[in-house]
Amino acid sequence: MNSKTQNKIAIGTLYGVAGLVVLILLALLGYILVSGLPQLSWHFLTAPAKAFLKGGGVGVQLYNSFYLLILAMLISFPIALGAAIYLYEYARDNWVTTTIRTAIEILSSLPSVVVGLFGFLFFVVKLRLGFSILSGAFALTFFNLPLLTRSIEDSLRTIDLSQREGGLALGLSRWETITRVILPAAVPSILTGVILSAGRVFGEAAALIYTAGQSAPALDFTDWNPFNISSPLNPMRPAETLAVHIWKINSEGIMPDAKAISSGSSAVLVLAILIFNFAARYLGKRLYKRLTSA
Amino acid sequence: MKTTQQLEKQLKRHSKAAKLEIWGKVVSFSALLLIVAVVVGIIGFVASKGIATFTSNHVNLWDFLTEKKWNPGITDANGKPEVGALPMIVGSFLITILSAIVATPFAIGTAVFMNEISPNKGAKILQPVTELLVGIPSVVYGFIGLSVVVPATRAIFGGSGFGVLSGTCVLFVMILPTVTSMSVDALRSVPRYYREASLALGATQWQTIYKVVLRAATPGLMTAVVFGMARAFGEALAVQMVIGNAALMPGSLVDPAATLTSVLTTGIGNTVMGSLQNNALWSLALVLLLMSLVFNLIIRLIGRKGRLQ
Amino acid sequence: MFVSNDVSTTGTMQERHIVQPRDAQHPIVLSTEELHVFYGKKEAIYEGDLQFARNQITALIGPSGSGKSTYLRSLNRMNDRIATVTGRIMYRGVDINQPDIDVYEMRRRVGMVFQRPNPFAKSIYDNIAFALRLRGTTDKHELDEIVETSLKQAALWNQVKDDLNKSALALSGGQAQRLCIARAIAVKPDILLLDEPASALDPVSTSQLEDTLLELKKQYTIIIVTHNMQQAGRISEYTAFFNQGRVLEYDTTSHIFTNPQVQITSDYVSGNFG
Ligand SMILES: Nc1ncnc2c1ncn2[C@@H]1O[C@H](COP(=O)(O)OP(=O)(O)O)[C@@H](O)[C@H]1O
Ligand SMILES: [Mg+2]
């Protein structure tokens, strides 16, 4: 076979492979949306779940997902920011830094079920927090920290060294330069990273089934006193999230309309990820423009 | 000379900036230490729990790794508890390797298409789709596996439909976007002039891709695949939903089987802390953790080798 | 490229010729003594001791890689984390290369402008005002005034006075560099270090910048690295010629350009170098 024919065959094959992959991926997306979107209704998104009957909603789970997400981001963002600042701005290139980087990489490669089990052992059992929002938020934090740290570090890297020298030359400390010059300039890209990581956290389930728990007690949305057991704000109550809900009803299967509910929930999850993705891009670009335009 | 002394005093005063600098270093380093403490904590806790099976329950490590009967509540004829983890270890490796074998050609082929053949279509269609799919939660993959793949397997091969084959299918689709997008990065890091030089020498595009680009990108592509394998090995819920969760040696690809993660997710909640049943599960978690360290090490080794070349 | 010693000794040429400024009206405010700079094990500056006269412009010239930037950046210790600097840097009688010197306080007196304009991603106003605010100047009127005078001194006021709240990143290269000068002088330094400040600018902006520097000389002591010999000739009183980590010749600018004593300097200023 001469090389021209070979070339043609190979490239044709690559077209085929790429087409097939696009097909698989689009079919996947299509399936989720086509089977899920018809389930979505105001009732579905707000009503509480029903265990043995048809027609339940995912209101509590959806709320729990957001509450956990916000708590986890509130805990993990400052830590990741500090860690990223130290790693990129202060750390010298020596064995301590290398070791720390390795540790962070290990954390990011740990299966989330292991992170969840540790959360179970430490927060639920040892610290006696029980299956609770708080335990779940900590587990999600651990799951989120390494990637968020890396993403913020990458954002810091996009800001030119000359900006740092500019600050130092004015007699500012490095800390002032970082917080007053570098971080404001890096906000668009940091924000993009934060929103993308929020998408990951939102869909995470394995880290939660033994920390935030697998039950969603009914909430009283008129009671915002965090010390009351049915208050949506109570951080000590168990809180099944949307992602955990999908897993739970599919493994136990006592719900007659489990499939419809799962389809709807999957569509909600995927839509949320889509929105997170677009928001990240849009806000990032928008803020950047605002920062640089006249 | 009085002014010199004054100046020296002013210049040696510990300024606000100097104080802020120390504060900033302390604060940011504490945050970093916290993360390190988490890593040490996780490894320490899981290891100490996982070792208990062998230290306090006196299970033989070799038996644990090679015996095929997993039934920690029951003792066998010799009075030894049945904690053979081989079926789960085999199950985990089997679905990991199979899904990687299937995903690799697709992922690399797509990456080559995106980066070498049609960068335009790549950037417009494939890039956003893969990026989006990387972010899809694994339970969604599990649910689709359960409602599409399992029935399909059942219809074609008979049986329950749950098993290694379904698990492989789900993991294949799940790691495909990740491996693809990492492969694209690997190809992108091959300098443009490599291609130009090869084409200028009269090589066809395929020869250039095959002999120059793929070869130069090999370490990066290997990293992508190992990364995908690590993800497959550690995936819990999506696999648990479709594999059938029978802690038996898989007789065929369509028999129900189990993985380390699937037994863990179903078991931990049903055992009593400190009991042998519970400790044995933690030992599985320890195996999982060690394997993730091994994957990490492999990625590092590939990276180092890539740099040496 | 390298002119060996025996060539220079055959004529009347010397191997090294250093004349420190002696001018009662312009006393020395900054000098280096036994300065050595190392990047790791590699020595980048040795035999580089210069004295700088107050309210004068001193130009540092020399081929690229000769150590001009390294030397300049050592003067306000911008090299602290990058290189090892030994020896003394005497600023008005105080050695500012001692470890217990507060570098932040020192850098407010020894300011710096870089080769590439580096305005911050802030408004024009904030570029100048924010460092002042951090050091306790919060009065709006006072800030307004400092911003205005700094911009005027940097010859930028007329162009931006209506756009003070616009992003500084939208300025042209020449304007951005002058903003950086305004920013540097807003904290009222004593000495201004400039590292090839015009190398990224077009000829018109360059000549405007030179006028600005000549104006600023009345208030500040200026040390400028430049690869442009005409520029050194036009604006500086003193010129130091660097080569391979050493100062080979230091004298008044007119001496360096009309009557160099070192063969390599002569080759360099006449364009026969390299
Ligand atoms: N950050 C650095 N690390 C190591 N070597 C450097 C660094 N900066 C400059 N050098 C080296 O020091 C020498 C002097 O460089 P530099 O001061 O930048 O010269 P100039 O400004 O005269 O062009 C050069 O050989 C250069 O390679
Ligand atoms: Mg230079």
Side-chain angles (χ1 to χ4, degrees):
Chain A
M1 195 177 4
N2 79 13
S3 58
K4 281 244 172 71
T5 347
Q6 206 183 12
N7 187 46
K8 269 200 192 126
I9 294 174
I11 297 213
T13 311
L14 283 171
Y15 262 91
V17 168
L20 199 58
V21 167
V22 173
L23 223 60
I24 294 175
L25 300 184
L26 288 182
L28 186 70
L29 268 184
Y31 180 83
I32 297 169
L33 296 178
V34 169
S35 69
L37 288 181
Q39 313 295 332
L40 302 192
S41 64
W42 184 246
H43 171 78
F44 178 75
L45 292 178
T46 53
K50 290 183 183 157
F52 301 99
L53 300 170
K54 267 170 127 38
V58 292
V60 176
Q61 284 80 6
L62 193 56
Y63 172 81
N64 285 342
S65 290
F66 277 108
Y67 191 26
L68 265 167
L69 170 66
I70 290 171
L71 272 187
M73 291 314 274
L74 282 181
I75 305 172
S76 51
F77 181 70
I79 302 174
L81 182 66
I85 288 179
Y86 192 88
L87 274 178
Y88 190 68
E89 308 282 348
Y90 287 117
R92 285 164 184 270
D93 217 0
N94 55 25
W95 67 269
V96 181
T97 312
T98 315
T99 313
I100 292 177
R101 276 187 194 285
T102 311
I104 294 180
E105 222 162 89
I106 287 173
L107 184 57
S108 84
S109 65
L110 283 185
S112 54
V113 59
V114 172
V115 176
L117 288 177
F118 168 74
F120 171 64
L121 204 56
F122 189 69
F123 295 110
V124 177
V125 178
K126 262 237 149 73
L127 298 186
R128 295 169 195 276
L129 293 178
F131 290 127
S132 64
I133 295 255
L134 222 48
S135 303
F138 284 125
L140 285 180
T141 296
F142 295 167
F143 165 81
N144 191 26
L145 275 176
L147 281 167
L148 189 56
T149 303
R150 192 181 312 157
S151 128
I152 298 178
E153 211 189 328
D154 288 341
S155 301
L156 294 176
R157 189 167 293 133
T158 62
I159 307 300
D160 204 275
L161 184 71
S162 70
Q163 295 278 309
R164 295 173 174 83
E165 296 204 311
L168 294 185
L170 288 174
L172 305 184
S173 60
R174 269 184 293 157
W175 181 248
E176 288 165 302
T177 308
I178 295 161
T179 52
R180 306 297 177 123
V181 179
I182 307 302
L183 287 185
V187 160
S189 120
I190 291 178
L191 189 77
T192 307
V194 166
I195 299 179
L196 288 178
S197 80
R200 268 169 34 93
V201 171
F202 195 75
E204 176 55 31
L208 287 178
I209 53 180
Y210 290 118
T211 50
Q214 306 167 24
S215 62
L219 298 178
D220 174 5
F221 281 94
T222 56
D223 179 0
W224 293 94
N225 179 351
F227 296 103
N228 291 347
I229 187 68
S230 63
S231 162
L233 288 184
N234 186 324
M236 297 310 292
R237 64 187 168 82
E240 181 194 40
T241 64
L242 205 54
V244 173
H245 191 56
I246 296 176
W247 172 74
K248 178 83 176 163
I249 58 182
N250 278 298
S251 352
E252 298 203 331
I254 45 173
M255 219 175 259
D257 55 350
K259 192 160 174 203
I261 301 240
S262 310
S263 302
S265 306
S266 299
V268 173
L269 276 184
V270 171
L271 279 183
I273 306 289
L274 263 172
I275 293 171
F276 281 127
N277 263 282
F278 283 121
R281 266 161 243 277
Y282 175 77
L283 282 177
K285 266 192 199 133
R286 185 69 197 273
L287 274 177
Y288 184 76
K289 231 187 193 157
R290 220 165 102 200
L291 210 59
T292 52
S293 73
Chain B
M1 278 299 97
K2 184 148 179 270
T3 51
T4 305
Q5 278 163 8
Q6 262 173 359
L7 178 67
E8 177 149 15
K9 222 168 134 190
Q10 281 171 4
L11 284 175
K12 288 190 173 174
R13 205 168 41 199
H14 206 51
S15 71
K16 192 178 149 208
K19 284 173 196 145
L20 278 171
E21 182 71 350
I22 293 173
W23 153 257
K25 264 191 199 169
V26 169
V27 167
S28 59
F29 190 64
S30 317
L32 192 59
L33 273 190
L34 198 62
I35 300 185
V36 175
V38 168
V39 181
V40 174
I42 291 180
I43 295 178
F45 264 84
V46 174
S48 73
K49 287 292 275 182
I51 288 173
T53 314
F54 312 109
T55 52
S56 39
N57 302 106
H58 304 292
V59 170
N60 184 309
L61 174 63
W62 184 247
D63 289 346
F64 176 77
L65 292 176
T66 56
E67 286 293 323
K68 295 178 194 149
K69 283 216 175 99
W70 177 262
N71 223 332
I74 295 173
T75 46
D76 64 10
N78 306 330
K80 280 202 228 154
E82 295 184 338
V83 281
L86 191 63
M88 282 79 79
I89 296 177
V90 169
S92 283
F93 274 102
L94 204 56
I95 55 165
T96 301
I97 291 170
L98 287 179
S99 59
I101 289 177
V102 186
T104 302
F106 281 98
I108 295 181
T110 310
V112 168
F113 180 84
M114 284 166 75
N115 205 49
E116 311 290 325
I117 295 180
S118 183
N120 257 335
K121 276 182 205 144
K124 266 206 205 99
I125 310 170
L126 279 157
Q127 181 97 12
V129 176
T130 36
E131 269 174 28
L132 176 69
L133 285 163
V134 167
I136 288 197
S138 58
V139 281
V140 174
Y141 284 103
F143 165 63
I144 293 177
L146 197 60
S147 49
V148 179
V149 179
V150 170
T153 316
R154 190 184 304 141
I156 300 171
F157 299 99
S160 67
F162 292 96
V164 171
L165 184 63
S166 298
T168 302
C169 285
V170 168
L171 284 181
F172 155 65
V173 182
M174 202 179 111
I175 64 174
L176 186 58
T178 313
V179 182
T180 306
S181 86
M182 286 182 72
S183 300
V184 170
D185 291 342
L187 294 177
R188 206 170 276 160
S189 66
V190 177
R192 195 127 294 278
Y193 64 82
Y194 276 40
R195 301 174 178 86
E196 282 155 10
S198 165
L199 291 172
L201 287 174
T204 62
Q205 191 178 15
W206 169 243
Q207 285 168 332
T208 304
I209 291 170
Y210 186 71
K211 297 220 170 105
V212 179
V213 179
L214 286 184
R215 208 142 291 178
T218 301
L221 295 174
M222 278 164 68
T223 306
V225 173
V226 176
F227 198 88
M229 287 173 72
R231 214 181 143 195
F233 199 89
E235 175 51 41
L237 303 187
V239 174
Q240 186 263 340
M241 285 162 89
V242 298
I243 198 155
N245 302 308
L248 306 164
M249 287 302 278
S252 78
L253 293 186
V254 288
D255 287 341
T259 63
L260 295 166
T261 52
S262 79
V263 170
L264 268 172
T265 37
T266 39
I268 279 282
N270 304 326
T271 52
V272 180
M273 268 288 165
S275 65
L276 170 65
Q277 288 97 313
N278 188 267
N279 286 348
L281 288 173
W282 284 103
S283 302
L284 297 184
L286 181 57
V287 175
L288 201 57
L289 185 128
L290 291 177
M291 269 317 292
S292 113
L293 294 183
V294 169
F295 281 121
N296 212 296
L297 197 69
I298 295 175
I299 290 175
R300 256 159 206 283
L301 289 180
I302 297 172
R304 190 168 303 161
K305 227 174 174 181
R307 241 172 291 132
L308 285 183
Q309 274 175 2
Chain C
M1 186 185 127
F2 183 75
V3 181
S4 64
N5 286 343
D6 46 26
V7 174
S8 54
T9 45
T10 51
T12 53
M13 287 302 198
Q14 303 168 1
E15 197 191 325
R16 197 159 175 261
H17 179 79
I18 308 289
V19 181
Q20 305 288 2
R22 287 288 167 266
D23 175 353
Q25 284 186 324
H26 301 288
I28 302 300
V29 287
L30 184 71
S31 62
T32 57
E33 299 172 4
E34 291 168 48
L35 192 81
H36 291 256
V37 184
F38 300 85
Y39 290 113
K41 292 223 153 44
K42 186 183 151 213
E43 189 161 22
I45 295 288
Y46 60 107
E47 290 193 308
D49 288 336
L50 300 172
Q51 301 179 357
F52 301 98
R54 191 197 322 172
N55 295 94
Q56 302 275 277
I57 297 182
T58 305
L60 313 183
I61 63 169
S64 103
S66 57
K68 307 177 297 290
S69 298
T70 301
Y71 181 82
L72 191 78
R73 290 166 56 87
S74 300
L75 294 179
N76 69 342
R77 294 187 45 186
M78 289 296 287
N79 272 339
D80 264 13
R81 271 165 57 93
I82 303 160
T84 315
V85 181
T86 64
R88 290 175 300 285
I89 301 169
M90 302 305 293
Y91 166 64
R92 293 184 184 270
V94 180
D95 177 8
I96 55 174
N97 199 29
Q98 302 172 75
D100 58 346
I101 288 289
D102 187 289
V103 290
Y104 315 108
E105 190 59 38
M106 181 271 289
R107 287 187 193 134
R108 320 205 111 223
R109 295 160 201 256
V110 188
M112 187 164 215
V113 174
F114 299 85
Q115 183 164 359
R116 255 185 322 135
N118 57 350
F120 300 137
K122 299 177 182 298
S123 70
I124 293 171
Y125 186 95
D126 282 339
N127 256 275
I128 300 175
F130 101 102
L132 297 166
R133 280 200 207 103
L134 282 181
R135 288 298 165 272
T137 314
T138 46
D139 181 58
K140 177 88 173 94
H141 287 291
E142 197 180 341
L143 283 175
D144 286 349
E145 210 174 293
I146 299 176
V147 169
E148 182 173 339
T149 43
S150 311
L151 284 171
K152 277 182 176 155
Q153 283 185 316
L156 190 59
W157 175 250
N158 285 329
Q159 294 159 59
V160 301
K161 63 171 183 272
D162 300 322
D163 302 326
L164 292 179
N165 289 321
K166 288 194 181 163
S167 170
L169 300 186
L171 293 174
S172 73
Q175 290 176 329
Q177 191 62 296
R178 265 175 292 137
L179 177 65
C180 292
I181 291 179
R183 187 174 75 187
I185 58 187
V187 294
K188 305 213 164 58
D190 187 5
I191 297 172
L192 203 53
L193 311 175
L194 302 104
D195 192 351
E196 304 198 25
S199 69
L201 306 186
D202 59 80
V204 177
S205 305
T206 301
S207 117
Q208 286 173 342
L209 188 82
E210 287 174 11
D211 293 343
T212 307
L213 292 180
L214 286 171
E215 200 54 41
L216 289 175
K217 178 175 90 172
K218 293 171 189 156
Q219 286 182 50
Y220 307 100
T221 302
I222 294 176
I223 305 170
I224 178 172
V225 171
T226 175
H227 62 241
N228 179 333
M229 273 168 292
Q230 286 76 25
Q231 184 170 67
R234 282 192 297 266
I235 61 174
S236 69
E237 278 79 21
Y238 297 95
T239 296
F241 174 70
F242 278 71
N243 193 37
Q244 297 183 344
R246 311 161 70 197
V247 179
L248 289 191
E249 188 153 8
Y250 185 39
D251 208 332
T252 59
T253 300
S254 59
H255 264 103
I256 294 275
F257 280 93
T258 58
N259 189 20
Q261 300 295 307
V262 178
Q263 184 68 46
I264 309 175
T265 318
S266 165
D267 291 345
Y268 186 77
V269 298
S270 60
N272 295 332
F273 190 90

